[in-house]
Structures are given as C-alpha cells and as structure tokens.
C-alpha cells in the first residue's frame, strides 16, 4: 500500500519565534514545512518556486503585507495556493482579517494569547491547513471532465409532529449557518436579500472572538438589511440580521430575544450553530427556514434534525460552490436537506421560501 506524501506547507511570518512555533507544530502534526518566509515578497517567491499545498500567512509583515500577498496570488498565472491567515487580534487586526477573507484567504486562525492553550491552537491550525490542502486537490480534480452523476433521490418530506408554533400567516425566520468559506459566501448572499425578510434573519458563522464585529460591519455596508453583531436582549426584526458573536454561543429565549452563553465549546466550536437552530425550531416550528452553507464539520445536523421534526425547511449549498463541502454534506447524508442550490441561486430560493 502506497502512503500519500505529507502535505507541503510554507510558513510566512515576520516573527522568528512565531515561525519556529508554527513550523514545530505543523511538523509534529505530520506536515512537511518546505519553506519559511519573513516578509510578503519572500512568501510569494517560495510559493512560485516550491508550489506548496498550503501556506500560513501573517497579515502584518514588512514590505508587502499579507493582503498584498493574497492579491498577488489572485493574479492570472499565479500559483493556486490555499492560505490560512494566522493573525493576532485587535480591533484593527480583526478588520484586516475579514479583508483577507474577502481577498481569497481560505480561513483564519487567531494567534494564541497569554494564557491560551497552545494545544487548542495547534489542533485548529492543523485541521484548517489539512482542509485547505484538500480544497486544492478537489479543485484540481474538478478541473478535469467528469461523467455526470446520477440525480440524488429526493429527501423524505418533513415529518409534522402535532401542533407547532408558526401558525399560517406568521412570518418565517431565516437561519443561516456557515464556517470555512462562509464570510466570502455571506458577502455574496446577504447583499442580494431584500430590505425586509420574514420575521428576521440569524447567522451563526464560526469565527474567533472579535472577528465577527468586523464581518457584521462589512456585510452591513453592502446590504439592504441592517446587519449587527448580536447582543443580549436584541430582538428579531424583518429588516435586521443578527450575527452571532465569535467566542460565545448565540441562543434565543421564549420571547424570541437573543442571549449569549459562555458555556463550554461543543465539538471545539463556540458559537455552535446547532444550539440556536434548535431554539429557533421550538419557537418558529414550520415557519423556520434553515440554510446551511460551506464549512468544515457537522455543525447544523442536530439543528436540522430539530427543524425537520418541527416541520421547517432546510436548504443546503451545492458542493461545487462550497469552499469546504463539510456541513452541507453532513446534512445531506443525514437525509435532512429539502433542496440544494448553488450559492448564486440561494438568495432567490430564500425569498421564494419565505413568501410561500
């Protein structure tokens, strides 16, 4: 049996200490760190010469910074290298990290601060670098012609279980769950939604604490809907989107108001979309529309099961338009998806579902 070669990674950071930490962590996790760069120009040169499977990238470096590197990698003829941004957090850095996602970065990992567990940082970094390299391999496979796959059988109809909330005539809630690739997907989806949508919209996007403030501001500037990072006591409204804050679980109380929980992460995630989805399913019943976008893992499956049990509807993003077909795949394989749409088809599909 032939063993696959290790994933080849370039590490770019202006701190010698951070380069050593990242190289040691990735090497211990089985990756082959084939190059280290201390600035953006060196990072680009290594990418062009070594063609690694992935790169970790600091945003603040002398000369060409991380945003400049990402822009250069988007130019025609540049090597196709998935990039994990490894950034320290401050208000300014959070905004730059969201800028990096819009420039094509695969995902973010927050640099560990004083008192943070290094093991958690290493585990998150390893998972995301592995997923990034896997996305490159999938893009290569997709570039070759492939026979048409047979149509998937239609999922079973939602099971209605006695009287549920969400009487006929009540406005439905739209709930969107996303992870890796989500910020870019949301930037294409949310601005296409109308200025008033059902009873309101809730988004849970997996991001480190602090980064969602910048994501909400960016989406708000581009959208007809008002997009805000959710705070305790926020209420749902047709013209508003509540975005769950990174580092906290978003929940909904019996009065349909937001509250935030610092309970332990579930499956390494805080926020965990399943929690708020299940709250919404109990509150809205058949008047709940769940949309599961690109992302690693299976967050959304337990929530989707509750949505279907209460008579709601579940849409998922089609595989070829996902950065990572993890969360939608998990929902699909559990038989919980009512329909599948490409990313650019989803805004119109959401509007039709809400109007039905």
């Amino acid at each position: 049996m032939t063993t696959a070669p290790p994933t080849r990674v370039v590490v770019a950071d202006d701190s010698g200490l951070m380069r050593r930490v990242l190289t040691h962590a990735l090497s211990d996790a089985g990756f082959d760190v084939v190059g280290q760069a201390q600035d953006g120009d060196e990072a680009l040169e290594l990418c062009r010469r070594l063609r690694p499977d992935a790169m970790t990238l600091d945003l603040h470096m002398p000369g060409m910074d991380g945003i400049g590197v990402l822009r250069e990698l988007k130019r025609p003829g540049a090597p196709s290298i998935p990039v994990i941004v490894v950034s320290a957090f401050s208000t300014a850095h959070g905004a730059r990290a969201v800028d990096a996602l819009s420039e094509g970065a695969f995902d973010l990992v927050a640099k560990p601060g004083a008192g943070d567990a290094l093991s958690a940082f290493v585990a998150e970094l390893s998972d995301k670098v592995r997923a990034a390299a896997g996305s490159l391999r999938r893009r290569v496979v997709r570039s070759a012609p492939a026979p048409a796959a047979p149509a998937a059988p239609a999922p079973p109809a939602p099971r209605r279980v006695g009287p549920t909330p969400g009487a006929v005539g009540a406005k439905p809630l739209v709930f969107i769950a996303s992870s890796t690739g989500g910020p870019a997907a949301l930037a294409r989806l949310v601005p296409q939604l109308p200025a008033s949508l059902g009873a309101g919209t809730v988004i849970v996007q997996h991001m480190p604490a602090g980064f969602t403030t910048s994501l909400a501001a960016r989406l708000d500037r581009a959208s007809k809907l008002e997009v805000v990072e959710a705070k305790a006591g926020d209420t749902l409204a047709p013209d508003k989107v509540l975005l769950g804050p990174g580092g906290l679980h978003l929940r909904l109380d019996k009065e349909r108001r937001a509250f935030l929980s610092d309970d332990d992460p579930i499956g390494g995630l805080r926020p965990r979309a399943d929690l708020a989805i299940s709250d919404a399913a109990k509150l809205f019943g058949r008047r709940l529309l769940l949309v599961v976008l690109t992302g690693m893992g299976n967050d959304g499956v337990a929530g989707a099961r509750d949505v279907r049990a209460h008579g709601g509807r579940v849409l998922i993003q089609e595989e070829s338009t996902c950065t990572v077909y993890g969360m939608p795949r998990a929902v699909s394989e559990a038989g919980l998806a009512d329909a599948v749409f490409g990313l650019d088809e989803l805004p119109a599909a959401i509007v039709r579902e809400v109007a039905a």
Side-chain angles (χ1 to χ4, degrees):
M1 179 177 175
T2 303
T3 302
T7 297
R8 302 167 67 252
V9 183
V10 162
V11 169
D13 198 294
D14 65 337
S15 164
L17 173 61
M18 198 65 202
R19 290 197 301 275
R20 289 192 295 274
V21 168
L22 292 170
T23 298
H24 182 74
L26 290 168
S27 298
D28 281 355
F31 298 96
D32 181 12
V33 179
V34 294
Q36 299 181 36
Q38 60 185 343
D39 58 43
D41 293 309
E42 188 176 2
L44 283 173
E45 192 278 327
L46 288 174
C47 285
R48 294 184 180 114
R49 179 163 55 86
L50 300 175
R51 302 286 172 139
D53 301 309
M55 175 169 63
T56 70
L57 180 67
D58 187 18
L59 291 182
H60 294 267
M61 297 183 293
M64 183 183 294
D65 66 4
I67 298 295
V69 171
L70 290 165
R71 289 174 177 163
E72 287 297 318
L73 289 174
K74 290 166 62 176
R75 292 185 183 277
S80 181
I81 311 293
V83 174
I84 300 295
V85 169
V86 182
S87 176
F89 173 71
S90 69
T91 301
H93 288 190
R96 292 287 281 172
V98 174
D99 288 342
L101 292 170
S102 73
E103 294 291 348
F106 182 85
D107 209 338
L108 305 173
V109 178
K111 287 183 178 179
D116 291 343
L118 187 60
S119 59
F121 166 76
V122 170
E124 181 183 8
L125 176 68
S126 299
D127 286 346
K128 291 184 175 180
V129 170
R130 192 171 291 110
S135 75
L136 177 62
R137 287 190 288 271
R138 284 192 297 276
R139 288 202 299 272
V140 171
V141 169
R142 283 180 193 152
S143 66
R159 182 170 63 91
R160 309 286 179 175
V161 289
T164 65
V168 174
K171 292 181 178 180
L173 176 71
V174 177
F175 197 114
I176 301 171
S178 53
S179 184
T180 304
L186 293 168
R188 288 169 59 181
L189 189 158
V190 177
Q192 300 302 314
L193 298 175
S196 180
L197 188 64
T201 304
V202 175
I203 298 173
V204 172
Q205 160 69 43
H206 301 157
M207 291 186 85
F211 291 107
T212 41
T213 304
S214 299
L215 177 61
R218 176 180 284 270
L219 291 174
D220 182 64
R221 289 193 298 269
S223 305
K224 305 175 188 72
L225 292 161
E226 179 188 9
V227 183
V228 299
E229 187 181 51
K231 303 185 300 297
D234 278 352
T235 57
L236 302 170
D239 61 350
K240 182 184 291 186
V241 178
L242 297 183
L243 174 68
L248 294 168
H249 294 303
L250 175 64
R251 307 298 302 268
L252 297 173
D253 67 18
K254 293 181 180 179
E255 303 301 320
R256 302 184 177 185
R257 294 174 304 200
F259 71 96
L260 305 176
S261 164
D262 61 358
D263 287 348
D264 290 343
I266 298 174
L269 298 174
R270 190 172 62 193
R272 179 85 183 189
D274 281 326
L275 297 176
I277 297 168
S278 296
D279 290 343
K282 297 180 181 73
L283 294 168
F284 284 86
R286 62 176 61 99
R287 305 301 288 170
L288 176 60
L289 175 66
L290 172 62
V291 181
V292 180
L293 301 180
T294 174
M296 292 193 297
N298 65 356
D299 192 17
V301 172
R305 190 168 287 113
D306 283 345
V307 172
R308 292 290 297 268
H310 286 83
R313 297 266 295 170
V314 179
L315 310 183
I316 63 171
Q317 184 178 346
E318 191 269 328
E319 179 177 6
S320 70
T321 67
C322 288
T323 300
V324 178
Y325 187 57
M327 288 166 54
R329 181 198 296 275
V331 172
S332 176
E333 291 181 348
L336 299 170
D338 289 293
V340 182
F341 292 97
L343 180 59
D344 291 332
E345 301 170 317
L346 273 169
I350 290 169
V351 171
R352 287 196 302 271
E353 292 278 350
V354 169

